[in-house]
Amino acid sequence: MKTKAKKRNDNKLAAVLLFPSIFLVLLLVAYPMVSNFQISFFEQSINPNLDPTFIGFQNYTDILTDVEFLKSLGITFLYTFLTVVGSTVVGLAVAIFFNRPFMFRKLSRALIIASYVAPTISLVFAWKYMFNNSYGVINYLTVDVLGLFDQAPLWFDRPSSSFVLVVLFAIWRYFPYAFISFLAILQTIDNTLYEAAEIDGASAWQKFKVVTLPAIMPVLIIVATLRAIWQFYTFEDVFLLTNQVNTLGIYLYQTAFAFNDLGKAASISVILFLILFAVILLTRKRVNANGNG
């Protein structure tokens, strides 16, 4: 009886302690999600004085048949793929290079993560300054010093060059996240495994394939998944850098605030949620298949 009474008291205490967190999750996550799903079935303006009109699945039909949405979806998939692969590969390469003793290692690590912790606005304007067609250092080097161009290119005014630059910016800014994650797991690998592989005559690539890759695979999957989710929703980086790359974040913003259509914008966010939910399920199955779920 005493054990049961103590268990009931522990459950009550746990419920009391968890209630603030559960309440905040319901208020800040669950309620906005349900409200957004509800709005997606209405034609609704951002003007609160205009009454919404129920139109059923019309917003979803319009979005899925909109050529601009499909273009934005393709651009976003390509942007996400390139940035995730690029930042992951660069982060892993730098982590492998830093996984050894050398002078000023701590200072070097601190400098590496500077781009990840610095404010977005400062990084964006630094890049725009570097690529400015009048006084940017990039145009000075490519035009005046190396003579690669006859005149300074308008980097952020053309869709192709703008897309390349926003991808490079994302890789440069976010590879420190992969770097930190991979460096932590690399430091847990027993050096005797590398020594045994070296005795067997394994090359650097074979040691990476047989020893390093299996050890970092769980972290690799998690890093790639989280980075893909974050990049798929990216907005401020692209929005501040250029108006020539129409990712889904930009398309969603324009639909809601430029075209004054909250209902259609809500339906876009629901579609994005379903896409990412499917990606998470597939990734979870992959992690479970590797025995880490």
Side-chain angles (χ1 to χ4, degrees):
M1 293 295 295
K2 290 183 179 180
T3 303
K4 292 182 178 179
K6 183 179 179 181
K7 187 175 181 180
R8 283 197 298 269
N9 291 333
D10 290 343
N11 291 337
K12 290 180 181 179
L13 178 61
V16 171
L17 295 176
L18 288 174
F19 176 76
S21 299
I22 295 174
F23 176 76
L24 287 176
V25 169
L26 292 175
L27 179 65
L28 301 178
V29 179
Y31 173 73
M33 289 180 62
V34 173
S35 178
N36 184 78
F37 184 71
Q38 178 185 0
I39 292 173
S40 68
F41 294 102
F42 289 84
E43 182 180 349
Q44 182 168 335
S45 169
I46 59 176
N47 187 347
N49 296 322
L50 298 177
D51 295 330
T53 303
F54 180 78
I55 58 174
F57 289 94
Q58 185 63 43
N59 284 325
Y60 293 95
T61 304
D62 293 342
I63 288 298
L64 293 176
T65 56
D66 186 1
V67 176
E68 291 301 321
F69 170 77
L70 298 178
K71 288 182 180 178
S72 297
L73 184 62
I75 291 173
T76 304
F77 272 119
L78 182 59
Y79 170 81
T80 302
F81 174 78
L82 293 176
T83 54
V84 170
V85 172
S87 61
T88 302
V89 170
V90 173
L92 178 58
V94 176
I96 292 174
F97 178 78
F98 273 70
N99 189 34
R100 57 188 178 84
F102 59 89
M103 292 182 60
F104 307 113
R105 183 172 60 172
K106 293 182 178 180
L107 177 62
S108 301
R109 290 176 180 177
L111 292 176
I112 288 235
I113 65 173
S115 65
Y116 189 68
V117 299
T120 301
I121 190 68
S122 61
L123 299 177
V124 167
F125 277 100
W127 271 63
K128 296 189 78 168
Y129 184 88
M130 289 192 302
F131 286 92
N132 185 278
N133 64 311
S134 298
Y135 46 79
V137 64
I138 300 299
N139 282 327
Y140 169 73
L141 293 175
T142 56
V143 178
D144 298 334
V145 177
L146 300 177
L148 299 178
F149 303 104
D150 295 331
Q151 57 183 0
L154 301 176
W155 298 99
F156 288 110
D157 293 335
R158 299 174 181 174
S160 56
S161 59
S162 295
F163 180 79
V164 172
L165 289 181
V166 296
V167 169
L168 292 177
F169 176 85
I171 293 173
W172 168 76
R173 188 185 178 193
Y174 297 114
F175 88 86
Y177 173 78
F179 162 74
I180 295 171
S181 303
F182 288 131
L183 184 61
I185 192 66
L186 285 172
Q187 292 178 343
T188 65
I189 301 176
D190 191 350
N191 286 329
T192 57
L193 297 175
Y194 292 106
E195 294 173 359
E198 190 171 351
I199 292 174
D200 291 338
S203 63
W205 166 249
Q206 290 172 331
K207 285 189 287 185
F208 172 80
K209 184 179 179 181
V210 175
V211 179
T212 306
L213 190 58
I216 68 171
M217 184 57 70
V219 175
L220 176 63
I221 294 174
I222 293 173
V223 167
T225 302
L226 292 177
R227 192 74 267 158
I229 293 172
W230 296 332
Q231 292 303 118
F232 202 77
Y233 274 113
T234 191
F235 169 76
E236 67 273 10
D237 294 354
V238 179
F239 182 78
L240 293 172
L241 279 170
T242 180
N243 59 0
Q244 299 294 320
V245 181
N246 194 26
T247 60
L248 281 176
I250 304 296
Y251 181 83
L252 176 60
Y253 170 81
Q254 291 175 343
T255 302
F257 301 106
F259 302 124
N260 194 23
D261 195 340
L262 285 183
K264 189 174 290 186
S267 65
I268 296 172
S269 64
V270 172
I271 294 172
L272 295 184
F273 171 78
L274 293 176
I275 293 174
L276 289 178
F277 186 71
V279 171
I280 292 172
L281 287 180
L282 292 174
T283 305
R284 181 175 176 80
K285 289 182 179 180
R286 176 66 184 274
V287 174
N288 286 337
N290 283 276
N292 297 285

